Amino acid sequence: MENQLKKSEILFLYETKYNIPNGDPFTGEQRYDEETKKILVSDVRIKRYIRTYFEEKELPIYVSEKTGAGKTDSKGVLTWIAQNRNEKKFTNIGDILKEQIDVRLFGGISTLKDEDTEKIKVDGKECTNGHVQFTGPVQFALLNPSLNEVNLRMHQNTTHFTSSAENTQGSIATTTIVPYSLVQIHGWLNPKVAEKTGMTANDLTLMYEGLWYGTNGEGSSHSRSKVGQNSVLLLVIEYAKNNQKIYDVDRLIELKPKDDKKGEQLRSMDDYDLDFSKLIAIAETEKVEKVKFYTEIDSIKSKLTSCPKFEAITL
């Protein structure tokens, strides 16, 4: 099945409890849409979950603080990769980039000048093609909203330190946390673009693993601000033809609160139902070849396994 990839759209649902799913890099506050009262999670945050999962499995990635002994400049990173993680002894920077799984999936760029490229040596040979860019065959929405409305809660915590003179001092920090959210991540897979990066079906399987487990408590999701996340459902909607498109895939799953609760009053999956009727109806059309899914929640599994075009997968 290698490289027999289908044009697809991805929906990934995960829940969060009393944490900060995606803080703003400048303020640390949770990204939030004031109009819809929904929290937002960026594609960068999701890719970091996946990349950290890859790193822990010792898979080669390009975008990493660890690559090249902590170097963050592209020349330093590429020099380190070319000389330390280049079993095939490639001297073409494009070929070196395509050996990194995150480049094959999400794309990558090198903007080295010719003179800087030539300074990178592999067994004494100068490198070439230092100015190259790959578009990723897998893309996620820039900002992904939660399915429920959220009222952010103020949270204060203290820090306490002892100086070398045995003097103590402390401070109080204030931030906002999310009591509960069900976040839906929307992604796309383009098989034609995958041909240019060399992405394989195995790469895609590993990405789905990283998406599920990397968000579910492994890697960078095992932190003070992220503990409390649970992966709920992974869906891969495969198109019958590469030129077809379904309108508003991210609106096919509806969250319906129980007992007249409002969206911001939800605190667990016991407080709402997930309505898959629109998704199931779309799956029955000729545009969809099949819908692959993975979940560990029996109630969701029972709703989907009864549908002809739905296929349960393992991770």
Side-chain angles (χ1 to χ4, degrees):
M1 182 180 172
E2 183 135 325
N3 285 330
Q4 298 302 306
L5 301 170
K6 294 284 187 178
K7 178 183 176 181
S8 309
E9 293 198 47
I10 302 162
L11 292 177
F12 172 61
L13 276 61
Y14 73 99
E15 63 174 0
T16 75
K17 299 177 182 179
Y18 290 101
N19 64 9
I20 308 173
N22 190 194
D24 183 278
F26 296 104
T27 67
E29 299 296 315
Q30 171 58 45
R31 298 172 188 265
Y32 189 67
D33 188 325
E34 296 284 350
E35 295 293 328
T36 64
K37 299 181 69 174
K38 294 183 176 183
I39 69 162
L40 302 168
V41 175
S42 72
D43 62 330
V44 175
R45 174 65 273 180
I46 294 303
K47 290 175 182 177
R48 175 45 52 198
Y49 288 140
I50 296 169
R51 284 188 171 106
T52 304
Y53 180 81
F54 287 162
E55 280 191 303
E56 293 190 344
K57 290 180 71 70
E58 298 184 348
L59 295 171
I61 67 171
Y62 179 44
V63 181
S64 168
E65 294 179 356
K66 299 179 182 179
T67 305
K71 294 183 177 68
T72 56
D73 64 292
S74 60
K75 180 184 176 183
V77 170
L78 287 167
T79 299
W80 187 89
I81 292 175
Q83 296 175 351
N84 296 277
R85 200 170 64 200
N86 185 11
E87 292 183 3
K88 297 180 181 179
K89 304 300 181 183
F90 286 130
T91 55
N92 184 305
I93 295 298
D95 291 335
I96 292 172
L97 282 177
K98 288 195 290 184
E99 287 292 287
Q100 318 310 306
I101 186 172
D102 61 334
V103 173
R104 295 198 298 273
L105 287 164
F106 308 135
I109 186 170
S110 167
T111 57
L112 295 181
K113 297 179 179 178
D114 289 344
E115 56 266 31
D116 289 329
T117 305
E118 293 167 359
K119 290 178 182 178
I120 302 175
K121 303 289 198 305
V122 177
D123 286 352
K125 298 178 181 179
E126 295 179 351
C127 284
T128 60
N129 192 27
H131 200 289
V132 61
Q133 179 174 351
F134 294 108
T135 298
V138 176
Q139 298 290 339
F140 295 107
L142 291 177
L143 290 173
N144 298 268
S146 57
L147 291 181
N148 64 303
E149 298 86 6
V150 175
N151 277 341
L152 299 176
R153 291 288 189 266
M154 194 74 72
H155 172 67
Q156 292 181 323
N157 62 280
T158 60
T159 59
H160 191 266
F161 298 95
T162 300
S163 71
S164 57
E166 297 303 319
N167 295 320
T168 60
Q169 60 182 16
S171 63
I172 297 176
T174 301
T175 187
T176 52
I177 62 171
V178 177
Y180 181 85
S181 72
L182 183 68
V183 180
Q184 177 178 260
I185 306 300
H186 186 193
W188 296 263
L189 166 63
N190 187 315
K192 295 300 291 183
V193 177
E195 293 175 6
K196 297 179 181 179
T197 67
M199 190 192 81
T200 66
N202 185 60
D203 292 337
L204 196 58
T205 298
L206 287 168
M207 191 208 73
Y208 291 143
E209 282 184 26
L211 185 59
W212 186 272
Y213 296 111
T215 308
N216 201 35
E218 300 294 324
S220 58
S221 65
H222 184 72
S223 66
R224 181 174 179 270
S225 65
K226 301 295 180 287
V227 167
Q229 297 185 167
N230 296 295
S231 296
V232 172
L233 174 65
L234 172 64
L235 286 164
V236 182
I237 303 168
E238 293 189 349
Y239 286 100
K241 297 179 181 179
N242 285 347
N243 63 349
Q244 292 177 325
K245 183 80 169 65
I246 295 170
Y247 178 73
D248 266 2
V249 166
D250 59 333
R251 296 175 64 184
L252 294 179
I253 300 174
E254 294 185 280
L255 183 151
K256 297 190 172 181
K258 297 179 181 177
D259 304 322
D260 297 322
K261 289 186 176 181
K262 296 181 180 179
E264 63 267 26
Q265 295 175 318
L266 306 182
R267 292 296 182 269
S268 76
M269 293 191 72
D270 294 333
D271 295 334
Y272 60 86
D273 288 318
L274 290 175
D275 185 345
F276 298 106
S277 56
K278 290 183 180 179
L279 173 68
I280 293 170
I282 284 292
E284 293 173 351
T285 66
E286 62 181 15
K287 286 186 175 182
V288 177
E289 181 167 302
K290 69 175 64 172
V291 179
K292 297 178 180 179
F293 73 93
Y294 180 80
T295 183
E296 296 173 356
I297 300 174
D298 290 337
S299 60
I300 295 178
K301 191 180 298 183
S302 63
K303 290 180 181 180
L304 301 181
T305 50
S306 60
C307 306
K309 286 189 180 179
F310 283 71
E311 176 186 310
I313 60 174
T314 58
L315 293 179

